[in-house]
Each structure stands twice: as C-alpha cells, then as structure tokens.
Amino acid sequence: NAGVTQTPKFQVLKTGQSMTLQCAQDMNHEYMSWYRQDPGMGLRLIHYSVGAGITDQGEVPNGYNVSRSTTEDFPLRLLSAAPSQTSVYFCASSPTFTNTGELFFGEGSRLTVL
Amino acid sequence: KQEVTQIPAALSVPEGENLVLNCSFTDSAIYNLQWFRQDPGKGLTSLLLIQSSQREQTSGRLNASLDKSSGRSTLYIAASQPGDSATYLCAVDGGKLIFGQGTELSVKP
C-alpha cells in the first residue's frame, strides 16, 4: 500500500492563478481531510469528507474548494491564489468518519504564492 | 469551540532522561485524543490513540494518558534518545480533529 499520496510536493504560483492539489489513498478509507500548517498556527482543518459525494467545511474553508467523486481521491482546488494561502498543505485519511480513529497523513505539499 | 494547547512549545533534554509532554483541551465531549510525531519537512505519524473511554495507552517507551474531566493528556517518553527529536502534536476528535501547536523536542547526545 502506498498510503496517502500528495502531489505536487512543491509549487510556486502567482497571485490570481488557480491550481489543484491532488490527494489519493489506497486504504479504502471513508474519511479524508485537508489541513494547512502555518508557523505559530498549528494545523487547521480546511475541508473534510466522510465518503464519496459528501464534503463539509472545516475551520478555514474560504478560498478553497473540494470534491469527492471517488473513495480514493480528494483534490483541493485554489480558485484564485492569494499570498495568504502560502502554506504547507497536508491530506489525511481515516477508516471511519465517526470517531475518526488513527489518522494517516501524506508527506505534504509546499505552496508559495507570490 | 474546542481549543487545544500544548506546553511547553519547545523542550531540550539530555539523552536518557524521562520526559512528559502536556496537552490540554477545553471541551471534554471528545471521541478520542491522538498523539502524533512530525519530523522536519515530513508529514505526521500517529503514535498513540486513546479512546474517550480509556485512561491510557502504551507503545514501547511511550505512554499517553487521558483525563477528560480535567481536559488534560500527557505523553510520557521513557529513556529519551536523540532519534526522539521531533515535534510532537496532540489532536482532539470531537467530530472534527483539532490540533495543538506542538512541542518541539530536542534530545542531546
């Protein structure tokens, strides 16, 4: 099993550009989520999904869109990138969506918005 | 709103020392609490998961305790080693997983 795979690992964008961060897991997990990690702010939940076709907002959803068309994939879209979205983004998955259980993380995607 | 706090933010100890990392949370209505390890430039690795009905969990040299009534958890690391150097984060699951800001641990040879 590859676990949770994130691509790309590094990305530089200009303000106003759009892009998609990809996340895939091969563990048949129901629960998937996106976090951003910033110095002094810890990890903050952006969006999460409890199964295919179901998504919901986390703490900091503004500026980001998600969709969950399959169990395996949970892409995060930045529609119009802003410098405030410079961060490290982590995708995580868990077997269940109530009482999430052990959470498995990807290696992260480092995004810089100029 | 759940708030999770970890103290201290950074800790430096000599090799071989036993140490305790602290995590406090404001809302006791939780499903579980997890401790994670994060190495520089890497993702998070789950170390221990304590269900709300449990008081503690152990894995090797690690022991985590949970006291829901006081909103506290501790991670005890026995006989610390330089390889334990990393950032340790706790996260509380009350429907959404909320993270503390972590304790950066440095174990000196």
Side-chain angles (χ1 to χ4, degrees), chain B:
Chain B
K1 178 185 173 184
Q2 179 73 270
E3 293 183 3
V4 181
T5 304
Q6 291 186 247
I7 296 173
L11 182 64
S12 181
V13 300
E15 182 177 4
E17 196 164 290
N18 302 325
L19 59 99
V20 174
L21 306 181
N22 297 295
C23 173
S24 61
F25 50 95
T26 56
D27 186 349
S28 62
I30 64 172
Y31 293 116
N32 62 58
L33 183 146
Q34 296 186 54
W35 283 93
F36 294 86
R37 169 183 174 140
Q38 185 177 28
D39 293 292
K42 298 293 186 181
L44 282 72
T45 300
S46 180
L47 297 173
L48 289 166
L49 170 69
I50 311 176
Q51 299 290 349
S52 62
S53 58
Q54 298 175 320
R55 297 283 296 189
E56 65 178 318
Q57 280 285 346
T58 298
S59 176
R61 294 182 293 108
L62 305 179
N63 176 276
S65 68
L66 174 63
D67 184 344
K68 278 202 319 176
S69 61
S70 65
R72 295 181 186 275
S73 176
T74 61
L75 178 66
Y76 175 82
I77 303 177
S80 58
Q81 303 170 358
D84 294 330
S85 297
T87 297
Y88 291 81
L89 298 100
C90 68
V92 174
D93 184 1
K96 297 178 185 178
L97 205 62
I98 304 298
F99 283 80
Q101 294 192 23
T103 294
E104 185 176 355
L105 173 65
S106 176
V107 181
K108 305 296 186 184

Side-chain angles (χ1 to χ4, degrees), chain A residues 12-77:
Chain A
V12 178
L13 290 178
K14 294 181 180 178
T15 297
Q17 287 185 317
S18 62
M19 76 157 301
T20 300
L21 300 178
Q22 301 290 346
C23 176
Q25 52 90 8
D26 60 359
M27 299 172 283
N28 201 32
H29 285 175
E30 293 183 0
Y31 180 89
M32 296 186 73
S33 54
W34 277 102
Y35 289 85
R36 60 178 289 173
Q37 186 175 36
D38 303 289
M41 302 293 290
L43 279 99
R44 293 179 291 169
L45 181 64
I46 304 171
H47 285 286
Y48 65 99
S49 169
V50 299
I54 306 169
T55 64
D56 204 350
Q57 297 181 349
E59 301 172 78
V60 288
N62 292 341
Y64 307 95
N65 277 358
V66 292
S67 60
R68 184 95 178 270
S69 57
T70 67
T71 299
E72 295 78 19
D73 299 300
F74 191 45
L76 178 71
R77 297 182 185 86

